[in-house]
Amino acid sequence: MTQTPQPRREFHSGRGRKTFDRIPSGFYLVGALVILFEVVMLGAVGLALAVGDPSDDEASPDKKSRQVEVTYIATGDHPSVDLTVGEANSHVPYGIASLPYRKTVTLATGADFYLDVRSREDQEGGTLTCTVLVDGKVVQQAHSTPDSSSATCTADAPQRGIPVPTLTPGASPLPEERRLTETVEVRDYPGQGSPVIGTVTDSSLQYAELGGTWDRSEPLDPVFDGFTRKQEGRQRALVKSTQVDEDIMAAAGGTGELRGVAGAVMDERRRYDYPRDQAILVDVASQPLKVDGHDAWLLVSEIHFHRRGVPSTMDLNAVLVVDTGRVRPSALWVALPETNKKLWPDLNTLVASVQVR
């Protein structure tokens, strides 16, 4: 018996269609393109890794554009200030700076700049201003207040539309220091000067007591004042006397050479009676003298300075050192303000009146 061949069994999906027949033919083309794209991207990444960071050789334009110029400006009516500058997390004291102050640095974009302008010792009050520019435009400015002796600029609150401050000097510049090494005689200062109303005896010296606008001479405690007598006059005028102490003798070299001792006394007076690091000495006279047959040395200096609330910017200072025969010489110190030159002839009167007792 001849059998009729059975038809080959087909595998169908549940709905009677072939599984692969359900995928449209266009999807094969899209899949091929996706695979090609991934291959290309992986190749590009590998090439970048092989070449390396362009900053290894030279900064790229994008990297250069991530930096900005930051300018710090400090202004005010002080001759000099204490500054602290830098970034917020790494600011360090800059030190003493004369006003006006301006400095430009390069920082990374978004860096937190910091500028603190602070009054120095003996210079409190007045006005101080800090200003910060980024790429030439003011982004922060602050001023000191009557209750504060400083101004601080940070990146916390950016400001806009503030003009760049005018960089005018905070005070008239001080002259250059000048110390005499040759002999120059003291001048006779013109004018009548103050009357003499008596004498003062102190530390083996006797000298004139002045009247007029001068107060009476009075004793001092040398432990606290460094002198044993003083007389005060108008506008910070002073006359003081004492025996030169051991520290000043040591500062003069310990030899007792009178010129060196006079210079050491003058340096001591500048250090303790004038703004620290802001007083300039200009010697105008330096000469040997004889006082009752005793060796002496006279040093006269202009001390130029700036101090808030003090109208004078220069005092005439004189130091007369006399070898009285004691272990250490005696000294007479005179300070006369430029704002009251009527008292300057008193210097000649005092020097001429000194005797050894």
Side-chain angles (χ1 to χ4, degrees):
M1 178 187 296
T2 303
Q3 296 183 346
T4 303
Q6 297 290 327
R8 188 164 52 94
R9 180 175 295 180
E10 301 282 353
F11 293 94
H12 295 271
S13 63
R15 299 183 64 177
R17 296 181 59 191
K18 292 182 180 180
T19 301
F20 289 104
D21 290 342
R22 298 175 63 191
I23 302 175
S25 60
F27 278 20
Y28 293 106
L29 177 60
V30 173
L33 291 175
V34 169
I35 294 173
L36 179 62
F37 176 76
E38 290 180 352
V39 171
V40 172
M41 289 300 297
L42 289 173
V45 171
L47 178 61
L49 292 175
V51 172
D53 190 343
S55 62
D56 293 341
D57 299 324
E58 183 178 357
S60 65
D62 288 341
K63 190 168 289 289
K64 289 182 179 179
S65 66
R66 295 172 190 168
Q67 294 181 330
V68 293
E69 286 191 345
V70 177
T71 301
Y72 299 110
I73 298 177
T75 54
D77 59 1
H78 294 228
S80 61
V81 292
D82 287 323
L83 281 185
T84 302
V85 297
E87 297 184 39
N89 296 326
S90 62
H91 56 271
V92 294
Y94 173 85
I96 301 169
S98 298
L99 294 185
Y101 169 88
R102 181 185 179 115
K103 182 179 181 179
T104 299
V105 298
T106 300
L107 298 180
T109 300
D112 292 336
F113 55 77
Y114 183 91
L115 173 62
D116 181 75
V117 186
R118 192 169 298 271
S119 297
R120 299 191 60 207
E121 183 181 0
D122 297 327
Q123 296 290 328
E124 290 80 5
T127 59
L128 293 173
T129 299
C130 67
T131 306
V132 177
L133 286 67
V134 174
D135 286 341
K137 296 182 178 180
V138 176
V139 297
Q140 181 65 240
Q141 187 174 85
H143 308 276
S144 60
T145 65
D147 299 329
S148 173
S149 59
S150 67
T152 303
C153 287
T154 65
D156 294 337
Q159 300 168 324
R160 305 295 180 193
I162 300 174
V164 178
T166 303
L167 300 184
T168 56
S172 58
L174 298 175
E176 292 185 2
E177 184 112 345
R178 186 184 71 177
R179 307 308 298 267
L180 287 173
T181 57
E182 69 275 16
T183 296
V184 177
E185 293 186 359
V186 65
R187 58 175 289 197
D188 288 327
Y189 293 97
Q192 183 177 359
S194 303
V196 176
I197 61 173
T199 59
V200 177
T201 301
D202 178 55
S203 301
S204 300
L205 297 180
Q206 179 178 292
Y207 54 92
E209 182 177 12
L210 302 172
T213 61
W214 290 86
D215 298 332
R216 298 303 299 262
S217 179
E218 60 183 29
L220 292 174
D221 185 342
V223 175
F224 295 99
D225 297 282
F227 290 86
T228 48
R229 298 286 301 192
K230 78 168 181 179
Q231 187 175 20
E232 293 182 301
R234 182 175 296 173
Q235 297 178 10
R236 299 173 50 258
L238 283 173
V239 177
K240 289 186 176 182
S241 57
T242 192
Q243 185 180 23
V244 179
D245 65 28
E246 295 177 352
D247 290 340
I248 295 180
M249 294 296 293
T255 63
E257 192 270 326
L258 294 179
R259 182 172 194 158
V261 174
V265 173
M266 186 70 76
D267 289 337
E268 185 84 351
R269 300 280 41 89
R270 168 171 60 173
R271 184 177 303 113
Y272 286 102
D273 288 87
Y274 293 89
R276 186 171 299 178
D277 301 326
Q278 297 185 76
I280 300 299
L281 271 172
V282 178
D283 293 343
V284 295
S286 184
Q287 68 175 107
L289 292 176
K290 286 291 185 179
V291 175
D292 279 354
H294 295 259
D295 290 336
W297 196 278
L298 175 64
L299 175 63
V300 182
S301 304
E302 297 175 350
I303 297 186
H304 297 260
F305 63 98
H306 294 293
R307 175 181 281 160
R308 294 210 53 77
V310 177
S312 176
T313 59
M314 188 273 279
D315 289 349
L316 188 68
N317 279 255
V319 172
L320 177 64
V321 177
V322 183
D323 183 357
T324 63
R326 299 171 68 181
V327 176
R328 299 189 303 275
S330 296
L332 178 71
W333 173 53
V334 184
L336 303 169
E338 184 183 34
T339 50
N340 195 357
K341 287 188 176 182
K342 291 181 179 180
L343 297 181
W344 283 19
D346 292 349
L347 171 59
N348 302 114
T349 300
L350 288 163
V351 171
S353 71
V354 177
Q355 297 179 352
V356 176
R357 289 292 181 264

